[in-house]
Amino acid sequence: MLRLKQDLPTSIVLQKQSFLPLKRVNIEGTVPSFAAAVTIAQVFRNDENQSTESVYCFSTEEQAAIDLFIARIDDCETIVQLKEK
């Protein structure tokens, strides 16, 4: 989910949340041993005439692990360094 960031008090934000539309999803997976390796690609598009600031949220199961996160926005690629809890 890609939620538009708003600088409003929490009670107002919860009532008026806006989201960027998800345009495409691609999921690929393998099960090489006891755990699955899954790659998920999500494409969001801002169809508005102005730029927006957004917050990306990805829910996982409690026992799931994410080992790589890459965000591509236009021609810019951001690779996130993940650390153990």
Side-chain angles (χ1 to χ4, degrees), residues 23-76:
K23 298 294 186 173
R24 185 173 64 235
V25 176
N26 184 43
I27 302 172
E28 296 178 10
T30 59
V31 185
S33 59
F34 66 92
V38 180
T39 300
I40 301 173
Q42 298 176 319
V43 177
F44 297 89
R45 180 178 301 152
N46 179 11
D47 293 327
E48 301 296 321
N49 293 330
Q50 59 188 15
S51 297
T52 62
E53 184 174 349
S54 302
V55 176
Y56 179 76
C57 299
F58 184 78
S59 299
T60 62
E61 293 292 323
E62 186 176 319
Q63 297 175 345
I66 298 173
D67 65 348
L68 179 65
F69 179 87
I70 300 173
R72 291 184 186 99
I73 301 171
D74 294 329
D75 295 329
C76 182

